[in-house]
């Protein structure tokens, strides 16, 4: 059984879409998506620097577009399940037939702008903590006023809060935590700091007509499969101000009997977590078109298993 997954913010790097533009139709598709949201995705995926693509309002549409064009390059894929991390949930909604490309890009553009505006109110950020006991880590974060915004499993929790709180964390790591790594994001996503974005996103979601998932759609909220498009949208709205439970998503993958995990471009983050948390599950990250042949082999072996 194959699960198709999409990464979240912070996975982007300067120029990561450049090799994909050599494939027939990719640039045309990106330009069409750019026109739909009035954002030059080709520029941001090829020529823009790290600071430009760290901007939440840019990064989120860019990541969704990258996931869509890289998945399309695979050809026909029918996974047993789909999921995405944070903004990757919108990419996964397209994979599941809940949204079409244009609706997804329109929604994520509004999401990115709303979250960027919320992030501008207070200087905030996120840092990944590697190692340590989850319960001990969460208690320590709460003591510092931080939120465990991403509980990713495989020994990784992402803390979010003000820059002062994150500085205090650097100076006072939880027992057992090996490293604290600042993430390439521009705000404390999936925390109370994003509450102003929820109403904006709810209004944007009301303008959409979602389809029901055609494959199992696993939600960040609690790792549960969601049966209706309306509930998928409802969860996408609420998730911007609530923690991502990727650990529970991976537990659901186990329960579903997933045998392979394929991460769309810019892949790497979720496959890394899966290698540690899902032993025995084959993993592959789509980083460049050079990975397509291996991905197709994985699909042929596991998509109908």
């Amino acid at each position: 059984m194959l699960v198709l997954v999409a990464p979240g913010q912070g996975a982007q790097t300067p120029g990561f879409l450049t090799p994909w533009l050599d494939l027939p139709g990719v640039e045309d598709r990106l330009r069409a998506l750019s026109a739909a949201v009035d954002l030059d995705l080709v520029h941001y995926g090829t020529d823009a620097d790290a600071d430009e693509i760290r901007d939440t309002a840019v990064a989120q549409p860019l990541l969704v577009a990258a996931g869509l064009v890289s998945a399309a390059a695979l050809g026909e894929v029918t996974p047993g399940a789909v999921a995405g991390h944070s903004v990757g949930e919108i990419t996964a909604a397209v994979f599941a037939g809940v949204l079409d490309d244009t609706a997804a890009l329109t929604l994520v553009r509004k999401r990115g702008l709303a979250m960027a505006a919320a992030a501008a109110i207070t200087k905030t950020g996120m840092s990944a903590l590697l190692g340590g006991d989850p319960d001990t880590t969460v208690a320590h974060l709460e003591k510092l006023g931080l939120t465990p915004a991403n509980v990713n499993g495989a020994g990784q929790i992402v803390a979010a809060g003000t820059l002062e709180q994150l500085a205090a964390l650097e100076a006072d790591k939880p027992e057992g935590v090996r490293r604290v790594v600042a993430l390439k994001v521009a705000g404390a996503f999936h925390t109370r700091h994003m509450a102003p974005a929820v109403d904006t996103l709810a209004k944007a979601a009301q303008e959409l007509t979602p389809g029901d998932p055609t494959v199992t759609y696993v939600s960040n909220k609690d790792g549960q499969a969601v049966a209706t498009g309306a509930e998928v949208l409802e969860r996408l709205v609420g998730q911007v101000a609530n923690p991502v439970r990727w650990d529970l998503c991976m537990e659901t993958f186990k329960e579903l009997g997933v045998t392979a995990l394929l991460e769309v471009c810019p892949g790497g983050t979720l496959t890394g977590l899966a290698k540690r948390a899902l032993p025995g599950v084959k993993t592959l990250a789509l980083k460049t078109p050079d990975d397509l042949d291996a991905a197709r082999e994985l699909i042929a072996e596991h998509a109908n298993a």
Side-chain angles (χ1 to χ4, degrees):
M1 182 181 181
L2 174 74
V3 60
L4 188 64
V5 300
Q9 212 162 326
Q12 73 276 9
T13 55
F16 77 101
L17 279 181
T18 299
W20 292 94
L21 267 63
D22 292 334
L23 298 182
V26 168
E27 183 170 352
D28 288 344
R29 189 172 187 186
L30 284 173
R31 293 203 181 281
L33 294 173
S34 297
V37 294
D38 193 26
L39 188 72
D40 189 347
L41 297 167
V42 174
H43 163 72
Y44 287 114
T46 57
D47 297 327
D49 63 24
D51 285 337
E52 287 181 274
I53 62 173
R54 185 180 291 114
D55 180 351
T56 303
V58 169
Q60 293 191 12
L62 183 62
L63 285 163
V64 172
L68 297 180
V69 297
S70 61
L74 291 167
E76 190 68 31
V77 184
T78 306
V82 299
H85 190 286
S86 188
V87 72
E89 285 203 290
I90 295 178
T91 317
V94 178
F95 298 157
V98 175
L99 299 173
D100 63 23
D101 288 7
T102 302
L105 263 292
T106 300
L107 181 64
V108 76
R109 177 65 166 148
K110 292 177 180 177
R111 182 186 194 267
L113 288 166
M115 292 175 72
I121 296 170
T122 306
K123 290 185 177 181
T124 57
M126 303 176 81
S127 294
L129 289 79
L130 308 179
D133 172 74
D135 291 339
T136 301
T137 295
V138 168
H140 190 86
L141 295 180
E142 290 173 349
K143 182 183 74 173
L144 295 175
L146 289 158
T147 299
N150 302 164
V151 183
N152 287 332
Q156 186 188 107
I157 291 176
V158 175
T162 67
L163 297 185
E164 291 80 7
Q165 290 167 336
L166 291 170
L169 174 64
E170 285 273 5
D172 181 18
K173 295 192 292 288
E175 181 181 352
V177 169
R178 301 187 306 276
R179 292 175 63 203
V180 177
V181 181
L183 299 185
K184 296 178 288 185
V185 297
F189 307 136
H190 304 291
T191 72
R192 61 180 177 82
H193 294 285
M194 291 296 108
V198 173
D199 285 345
T200 300
L201 199 59
K203 290 174 184 173
Q206 288 174 359
E207 298 173 4
L208 302 177
T209 305
D212 292 335
T214 56
V215 298
T216 300
Y217 180 96
V218 181
S219 167
N220 283 180
K221 180 178 181 178
D222 50 15
Q224 295 300 302
V226 181
T228 70
E231 187 178 354
V232 169
L233 277 184
E234 182 182 333
R235 285 170 173 246
L236 287 175
V237 170
Q239 202 63 43
V240 299
N242 286 287
V244 169
R245 294 302 305 267
W246 191 251
D247 59 331
L248 299 180
C249 291
M250 290 196 292
E251 286 298 320
T252 296
F253 299 163
K254 287 182 190 176
E255 293 168 7
L256 291 171
V258 166
T259 56
L261 179 144
L262 176 58
E263 183 180 3
V264 296
C265 178
T269 303
L270 302 181
T271 50
L273 293 171
K275 285 175 182 176
R276 296 190 293 276
L278 300 172
V281 172
K282 291 189 177 182
T283 62
L284 193 146
L286 275 181
K287 297 181 179 180
T288 74
D290 291 341
D291 299 314
L292 287 170
D293 285 344
R296 292 183 186 112
E297 290 177 11
L298 188 77
I299 291 164
E301 183 179 352
H302 294 272
N304 297 313

